[in-house]
């Protein structure tokens, strides 16, 4: 996470802690994302606004993130994920603002969250969901940030990569748990990871498959292994028709569950 704290310090010089807390308090109330994720129905798709990645480099030119987010919503996305990390992903808080102004569904601020300031910042810019990566936080940090997210009315997507991290997320009481198939050190994708970890997550939690999803068949495979939701970026920004791509993924998941999308 080289550069995360340096970039954070720059933003804190521009808007101090008191200022960002005031802005968060003045923002419209966060949407109840968990109510949408836990609702009966087909697989929930979190569609991502993603320009580039450390593993693939440049993915897509996205001149209008709001337009892309609107297409995702039209296709049936449950939530929109917005990368706000600039160095590795080419994102920004301006992207978050643009998407929030466009859609009526929950918006996830996806970044390396390491401080309370970032959570207030996320709420100030309209985020309803924030990402907490278990591997990047010790138990106290994880607990404190999770609690603050709830206090601010936001839902935390708690991301895990192995058995010990899954145990920590479950013990935390996380209701929305993402299994990331990408190894953070090698950046390789191991799609079998979801199936390996899903059984460790109680059925009363929402299980999210993350990373390396190439299309509807991967969604079907993950749903068959117990996924309630999936976070998809690259396949949607490179596919040419994001609305139709989201709809096809939802339909693929519905076929596995034996219901209509």
């Amino acid at each position: 996470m080289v550069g995360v704290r340096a970039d954070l310090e720059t933003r804190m010089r521009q808007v101090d802690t008191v200022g960002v807390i005031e802005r968060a308090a003045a923002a419209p109330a966060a949407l109840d994302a968990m109510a949408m994720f836990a609702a009966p129905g087909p697989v929930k798709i979190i569609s991502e606004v993603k320009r580039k990645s450390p593993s693939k480099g440049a993915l897509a030119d996205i001149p209008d993130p709001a337009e892309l987010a609107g297409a995702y919503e039209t296709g049936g996305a449950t939530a929109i994920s917005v990368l706000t990390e600039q160095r590795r992903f080419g994102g920004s808080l301006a992207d978050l603002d643009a998407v929030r102004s466009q859609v009526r569904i929950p918006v996830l601020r996806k970044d390396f969250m390491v401080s309370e300031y970032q959570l207030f910042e996320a709420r100030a810019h309209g985020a309803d969901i924030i990402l907490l990566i278990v591997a990047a936080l010790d138990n106290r940090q994880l607990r404190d940030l999770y609690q603050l997210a709830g206090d601010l009315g936001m839902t935390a997507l708690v991301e895990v990569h192995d058995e010990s991290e899954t145990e920590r997320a479950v013990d935390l009481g996380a209701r929305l748990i993402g299994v990331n198939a990408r190894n953070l050190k090698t950046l390789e994708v191991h799609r079998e990871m979801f199936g390996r970890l899903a059984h460790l997550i109680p059925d009363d939690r929402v299980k999210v498959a993350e990373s390396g999803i190439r299309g509807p068949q991967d969604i079907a495979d993950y749903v068959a292994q117990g996924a309630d939701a999936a976070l998809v970026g690259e396949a949607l920004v490179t596919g040419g028709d994001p609305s139709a791509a989201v709809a096809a993924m939802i339909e693929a998941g519905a076929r596995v569950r034996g219901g209509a999308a």
Side-chain angles (χ1 to χ4, degrees):
M1 295 195 296
V2 176
V4 171
R5 293 187 183 278
D7 292 344
L8 173 59
E9 289 173 3
T10 298
R11 297 196 305 276
M12 291 179 72
R13 287 194 293 269
Q14 296 168 345
V15 180
D16 65 16
T17 300
V18 172
V20 80
I21 291 174
E22 290 175 347
R23 293 185 184 187
L31 299 177
D32 186 353
M34 275 309 304
M36 301 182 71
F37 281 111
V43 64
K44 311 302 192 292
I45 301 296
I46 307 172
S47 304
E48 194 156 79
V49 176
K50 184 176 187 178
R51 291 186 171 88
K52 65 180 184 178
S53 74
S55 61
K56 295 290 184 67
L59 296 173
D61 180 25
I62 304 175
D64 189 344
E67 180 181 17
L68 176 59
Y72 288 154
E73 185 176 26
T74 298
T78 297
I80 309 297
S81 171
V82 182
L83 269 303
T84 60
E85 200 278 338
Q86 193 277 327
R87 297 187 185 218
R88 300 165 186 78
F89 295 95
S92 69
L93 287 166
D95 287 347
L96 183 61
D97 291 335
V99 170
R100 175 72 285 162
S101 70
Q102 176 68 31
V103 301
R104 293 174 292 177
I105 56 179
V107 176
L108 161 67
R109 179 189 181 183
K110 192 176 182 189
D111 209 322
F112 298 102
M113 310 298 277
V114 295
S115 78
E116 292 186 350
Y117 181 96
Q118 291 169 293
L119 269 66
F120 285 110
E121 190 178 50
R123 187 78 281 280
H125 286 268
D128 310 289
I129 313 167
I130 53 95
L131 178 71
L132 297 179
I133 302 173
V134 174
L137 303 165
D138 63 30
N139 284 337
R140 180 175 180 177
Q141 291 172 316
L142 181 62
R143 182 184 66 248
D144 289 351
L145 293 179
Y146 184 83
Q147 180 64 51
L148 178 58
D151 291 344
L152 292 173
M154 295 189 291
T155 296
L157 170 58
V158 180
E159 180 178 288
V160 303
H161 301 82
D162 61 26
E163 286 83 357
S164 64
E165 292 176 16
T166 303
E167 182 178 353
R168 290 174 63 196
V170 170
D171 289 347
L172 178 70
R175 299 175 62 200
L176 187 66
I177 300 178
V179 176
N180 194 334
R182 190 179 302 281
N183 184 302
L184 291 182
K185 295 179 180 178
T186 67
L187 301 182
E188 295 176 346
V189 172
H190 301 280
R191 291 182 181 83
E192 73 281 2
M193 189 59 67
F194 182 85
R196 200 174 99 189
L197 301 181
H199 73 282
L200 301 176
I201 304 172
D203 289 338
D204 63 349
R205 318 293 175 93
V206 174
K207 306 173 187 181
V208 185
E210 299 179 24
S211 287
I213 295 172
R214 299 160 294 189
Q217 185 56 55
D218 284 340
I219 295 294
D221 291 343
Y222 280 135
V223 170
Q225 296 173 57
D228 304 297
L231 194 158
V232 189
E234 180 182 345
L236 295 179
V237 299
T238 61
D241 189 339
S243 182
V246 172
M249 291 179 182
I250 294 170
E251 182 179 357
R255 285 197 298 269
V256 173
R257 290 183 175 177

